């Protein structure tokens, strides 16, 4: 068995479907396909990580560059076979949605770029007594504001904004 740690997604997968957990995490079988949403989210995440890495160097990224990074990640990943698109989606639609989403993100967060970045993709590890494996996760972005407050950002892509109740009860964020 190759399992050496747990994560939110593996725990959630076990709770949702123990057999799927076994196939993926223990037997290490590859799925027949990957959802467009999973690939899309990863590409957005990678573009934002690069955006924040540039910020640590004092480089101001343009919205166009941010969109170009997404396009590079998307074309490199989504061009591979094995993606199943949800109803109404295809390669071009997802590409446009990704660029549009990052344009909105850029406009909405431009004022927050004054925060100092402390870490990008910060790993954390929880060792729980009597639990065989540690729980490992990553915090997308850790910043500090002008008052010394620590700000934690978790990037999520979704078809619609989360309500406050959804955020308050999101197991991954918790």
């Amino acid at each position: 068995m190759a399992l050496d740690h747990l994560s939110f997604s593996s725990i959630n997968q076990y709770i949702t479907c123990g057999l799927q957990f076994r196939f993926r995490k223990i037997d290490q079988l590859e799925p027949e396909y990957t959802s467009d949403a999973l690939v899309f989210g990863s590409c957005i995440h990678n573009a934002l990580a690069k955006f924040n890495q540039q910020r640590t160097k004092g480089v101001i990224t343009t919205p166009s560059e941010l969109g170009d990074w997404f396009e590079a990640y998307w074309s490199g990943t989504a061009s591979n076979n094995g993606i199943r698109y949800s109803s109404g989606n295809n390669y071009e639609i997802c590409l446009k949605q990704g660029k549009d989403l990052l344009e909105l993100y850029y406009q909405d967060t431009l004022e927050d770029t004054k925060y100092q970045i402390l870490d990008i993709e910060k790993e954390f590890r929880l060792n729980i007594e009597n639990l065989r494996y540690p729980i490992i996760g990553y915090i997308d972005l850790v910043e500090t504001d002008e008052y010394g407050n620590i700000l934690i950002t978790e990037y999520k892509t979704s078809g619609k904004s989360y309500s406050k109740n959804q955020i308050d009860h999101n197991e991954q964020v918790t």
Side-chain angles (χ1 to χ4, degrees), residues 29-150:
L29 299 175
E30 291 299 318
E32 290 181 25
Y33 65 89
T34 304
S35 73
D36 59 340
L38 184 62
V39 176
F40 182 86
S42 293
C43 293
I44 291 286
H45 189 273
N46 290 339
L48 291 172
K50 187 169 183 175
F51 170 74
N52 289 318
Q53 288 164 354
Q54 293 297 95
R55 284 180 48 209
T56 64
K57 299 173 189 173
V59 176
I60 304 300
T61 302
T62 66
S64 176
E65 289 172 310
L66 188 55
D68 290 346
W69 294 336
F70 173 77
E71 184 171 2
Y73 292 123
W74 180 250
S75 65
T77 307
S79 61
N80 297 333
N81 292 330
I83 292 180
R84 181 174 290 172
Y85 290 95
S86 57
S87 179
N89 273 353
N90 62 34
Y91 177 89
E92 292 79 18
I93 289 171
C94 290
L95 176 61
K96 181 176 181 343
Q97 286 175 343
K99 288 182 155 193
D100 290 348
L101 183 63
L102 288 169
E103 170 80 25
L104 286 171
Y105 173 83
Y106 188 91
Q107 298 307 324
D108 285 349
T109 61
L110 192 56
E111 67 213 34
D112 296 339
T113 57
K114 67 182 177 281
Y115 297 152
Q116 179 185 353
I117 294 177
L118 301 176
D119 221 323
I120 302 165
E121 287 296 307
K122 174 67 176 166
E123 180 181 308
F124 64 89
R125 177 182 297 260
L126 302 172
N127 293 305
I128 299 174
E129 190 175 335
N130 297 322
L131 185 60
R132 185 177 188 183
Y133 304 105
I135 298 173
I136 296 176
Y138 295 87
I139 299 170
D140 293 337
L141 180 64
V142 182
E143 299 171 291
T144 185
D145 66 12
E146 63 272 21
Y147 306 106
N149 297 310
I150 303 294

